[in-house]
Amino acid sequence: MKMEDMSLSGLDNTKLEALAQDIYSDLVEDACLGLCFEVHRAVKQGYFFLDDTDQESMKDFEIVDQPGVDIFGQVYNQWKNKECVCPNCNRSIAASRFAPHLEKCLGMGRNSSRIANRRIASSNNMNNKSESDQEDNDDVNDNDWSYGSEKKAKKRKSDKVFLHSLKQHIPLNPNSPRRSKSVKHKNGELSNSVNADPYKYNYNTGINYETLGPDELRSLLTTQCGVISEHTKKMCTRSQRCPQHTDEQRRAVRVFLLGPSASSLPDADTMVESDCYDASDGQVLMSRLQWDGSSDISPSDSASSKASTNNSDSKKPKKKKKTSLGLNSTGGGGGGSGSGGGSSSQTSLVGLSNRKKKPKLPVPPAPSIYDNLN
Amino acid sequence: KTDQLYGHYCSCLFWLNHRLKELLRAKLTECGWRDQLKAHCKDVIKEKGLEHVTVEDLVVEITPKGRVLVPDSVKKELLQRIRAFLAQHAT
């Protein structure tokens, strides 16, 4: 292209079109030439015919076009009816089912361990005749009244340790229907406080308090009843409000297990620490707190903060932020209906919940609304 | 003004030589034009003899056939691009 040609503004359409055609044909010719040079070089260098096959092989690998057969000449479901002998159980299995069967047979697949455990658990349950969910055998709650479950639980501990280590990766949702269903069987009451436990506590540690360290004991006792049964020497795994045991018993257990300094009933903490705290439970909660609050907490701000610090000494609270928020909202709702004692323990509750975030912060001004009730 | 034109020229050349050529080559390979012509080359070579074939032989045989064998779609698209390019640079 000459430099004068570059000023295209002077050209009209026909010339532009002619120019375009010229450019196009130049390009195509360029491509052809390129191909020629390539081929010529290949011929002279001797590799032009290299990718060809000889006639004989061409005939061998010709595309097959018969019915019932694919293009390679293979029959489609030739091995469907063949049977293989399993090396493990020596049964003859259909070929298409062989791989899944081997998975289950050797116990190496993804589901095989789960199914095996389920089978073990259900056979155990049928032996025991104890009440437990047939579906949720993984999280069976062993009550301290089933004698047979003591041995089974210890065995199952090893079985389920790895299963639970798997399960711990899953965020525990206390609201999942599985968990609430299994616990409703047992307690029928504040089921969620039991479910707040990590999985393994449900049946493992409900058995034997001797095997637990002080930290585990403490965290257990804040959520479970924990009263040690006389005949089985096991801790009750029910909630803090389980009807079998009185609060005095619970207090005694705590003194026994954690020492006299931990004698304050962690009921308030329990309420605080349960993951799921509906507004509907607020009423129930208030009535409980009335009973507790009158003994522990005096109806004034300074005293309530003292009570909260008392509790903080004895326990290592497991708290999630969700809980404190839930409490604050229910505190507002429940406090209105509570009486004098209720309101004061309410203040302690709110104080506690705030204490988790900033220990030195005094009780928030919300309780001041309820002071006139006193 | 000569500087401007020169710059213009260079950019046009660049576009033509690199972008458009590459585009055309890719399209021709895609549509099988290249393989067709190569098969034709084989015939020519067998005809002329493997040892004695020259570039000229090939060029003479291949180029006219190559021009004809370009599919219409490719031709249209290329012309379109060229026209667009010219229109763009007709300042």
Side-chain angles (χ1 to χ4, degrees):
Chain A
M1 265 160 95
K2 302 176 197 165
M3 266 166 71
E4 303 85 80
D5 289 347
M6 287 318 296
S7 57
L8 299 167
S9 49
L11 300 170
D12 56 356
N13 270 350
T14 49
K15 284 196 179 161
L16 268 176
E17 185 60 33
L19 186 58
Q21 293 285 345
D22 269 348
I23 293 174
Y24 167 75
S25 53
D26 268 351
L27 283 174
V28 169
E29 206 171 301
D30 203 66
C32 295
L33 269 180
L35 183 68
C36 290
F37 289 140
E38 254 183 70
V39 167
H40 183 256
R41 186 169 197 270
V43 166
K44 291 303 173 187
Q45 298 280 323
Y47 61 83
F48 184 64
F49 286 113
L50 266 181
D51 52 355
D52 285 346
T53 9
D54 59 322
Q55 276 297 87
E56 223 176 80
S57 314
M58 291 285 274
K59 280 193 189 141
D60 282 345
F61 298 115
E62 231 175 338
I63 290 179
V64 177
D65 195 13
Q66 298 163 21
V69 150
D70 66 8
I71 61 173
F72 299 115
Q74 295 165 351
V75 185
Y76 164 58
N77 47 7
Q78 191 177 8
W79 309 107
K80 225 185 201 178
N81 305 328
K82 299 249 167 168
E83 293 196 336
C84 330
V85 177
C86 173
N88 212 30
C89 58
N90 288 323
R91 285 197 288 175
S92 77
I93 311 282
S96 53
R97 295 301 308 162
F98 186 56
H101 162 80
L102 207 61
E103 216 182 12
K104 302 281 187 307
C105 196
L106 292 172
M108 276 173 30
R110 281 172 91 210
N111 287 325
S112 52
S113 59
R114 231 175 281 158
I115 294 174
N117 282 331
R118 206 184 290 165
R119 253 187 254 142
I120 291 171
S122 62
S123 71
N124 275 344
N125 286 336
M126 288 196 299
N127 292 342
N128 281 349
K129 295 180 196 168
S130 67
E131 167 194 272
S132 58
D133 259 346
Q134 290 300 321
E135 301 170 36
D136 298 333
N137 286 327
D138 288 343
D139 53 4
V140 163
N141 272 342
D142 278 341
N143 282 339
D144 56 355
W145 323 325
S146 49
Y147 288 100
S149 63
E150 186 183 7
K151 292 178 201 162
K152 302 285 162 70
K154 280 198 178 136
K155 259 191 234 163
R156 264 185 283 176
K157 212 198 258 189
S158 52
D159 281 345
K160 305 223 173 176
V161 159
F162 91 97
L163 209 77
H164 288 133
S165 62
L166 286 177
K167 283 190 174 162
Q168 272 167 15
H169 293 305
I170 305 167
L172 301 172
N173 178 16
N175 283 331
S176 66
R178 258 182 102 201
R179 305 177 113 231
S180 49
K181 200 208 297 187
S182 69
V183 182
K184 262 184 202 154
H185 270 232
K186 321 275 172 192
N187 300 341
E189 318 181 53
L190 261 183
S191 51
N192 292 320
S193 55
V194 180
N195 282 336
D197 296 338
Y199 234 10
K200 56 181 173 175
Y201 285 128
N202 267 347
Y203 73 97
N204 251 349
T205 52
I207 307 308
N208 212 343
Y209 60 89
E210 286 154 10
T211 57
L212 296 179
D215 286 346
E216 292 177 57
L217 276 178
R218 232 177 275 143
S219 50
L220 252 180
L221 285 176
T222 50
T223 51
Q224 288 178 9
C225 171
V227 172
I228 299 172
S229 156
E230 289 247 332
H231 35 258
T232 62
K233 305 285 180 229
K234 284 181 269 178
M235 294 168 61
C236 173
T237 55
R238 289 187 155 205
S239 76
Q240 289 269 348
R241 301 184 54 218
C242 100
Q244 262 90 36
H245 307 112
T246 67
D247 285 319
E248 274 303 320
Q249 284 179 299
R250 283 189 267 274
R251 202 183 304 223
V253 161
R254 276 156 186 79
V255 171
F256 169 65
L257 286 175
L258 301 173
S261 62
S263 62
S264 57
L265 248 182
D267 286 325
D269 272 307
T270 311
M271 297 311 133
V272 160
E273 294 191 17
S274 67
D275 283 347
C276 173
Y277 192 83
D278 305 322
S280 58
D281 287 338
Q283 289 286 341
V284 170
L285 174 63
M286 290 326 307
S287 56
R288 277 204 74 195
L289 281 176
Q290 277 174 28
W291 184 92
D292 293 328
S294 55
S295 56
D296 285 344
I297 302 158
S298 60
S300 69
D301 281 5
S302 58
S304 59
S305 52
K306 214 198 314 175
S308 60
T309 50
N310 259 345
N311 282 334
S312 70
D313 287 339
S314 57
K315 301 274 186 281
K316 258 197 240 172
K318 293 183 297 184
K319 263 218 75 174
K320 298 181 187 172
K321 287 201 178 149
K322 221 199 317 179
T323 324
S324 61
L325 287 176
L327 273 172
N328 276 332
S329 59
T330 49
S337 52
S339 69
S343 70
S344 57
S345 42
Q346 184 57 49
T347 66
S348 77
L349 241 193
V350 180
L352 280 170
S353 57
N354 282 332
R355 181 242 320 163
K356 302 295 192 266
K357 296 176 192 167
K358 299 174 197 171
K360 295 195 181 141
L361 200 68
V363 177
S368 62
I369 304 169
Y370 310 121
D371 274 345
N372 51 5
L373 287 174
N374 293 337
Chain B
K1 199 186 177 192
T2 46
D3 281 342
Q4 238 179 9
L5 274 176
Y6 189 67
H8 214 130
Y9 177 64
C10 288
S11 68
C12 290
L13 274 185
F14 177 79
W15 183 79
L16 274 178
N17 282 327
H18 289 100
R19 304 293 299 286
L20 208 55
K21 252 193 208 172
E22 292 299 320
L23 184 72
L24 178 63
R25 269 184 210 189
K27 284 199 179 288
L28 288 175
T29 314
E30 230 173 55
C31 68
W33 171 92
R34 221 181 107 90
D35 299 322
Q36 271 180 302
L37 272 189
K38 227 178 176 183
H40 189 68
C41 286
K42 276 189 196 162
D43 296 335
V44 171
I45 292 166
K46 281 179 189 151
E47 188 190 343
K48 302 276 177 171
L50 193 64
E51 299 294 320
H52 306 294
V53 69
T54 63
V55 183
E56 292 304 322
D57 293 336
L58 283 173
V59 168
V60 163
E61 296 287 330
I62 298 301
T63 312
K65 192 145 194 238
R67 271 198 223 112
V68 169
L69 277 178
V70 175
D72 271 343
S73 57
V74 176
K75 182 173 183 181
K76 275 183 190 163
E77 190 181 334
L78 218 70
L79 277 174
Q80 207 176 15
R81 284 190 189 247
I82 294 169
R83 279 186 216 120
F85 176 79
L86 289 175
Q88 191 188 353
H89 286 256
T91 41

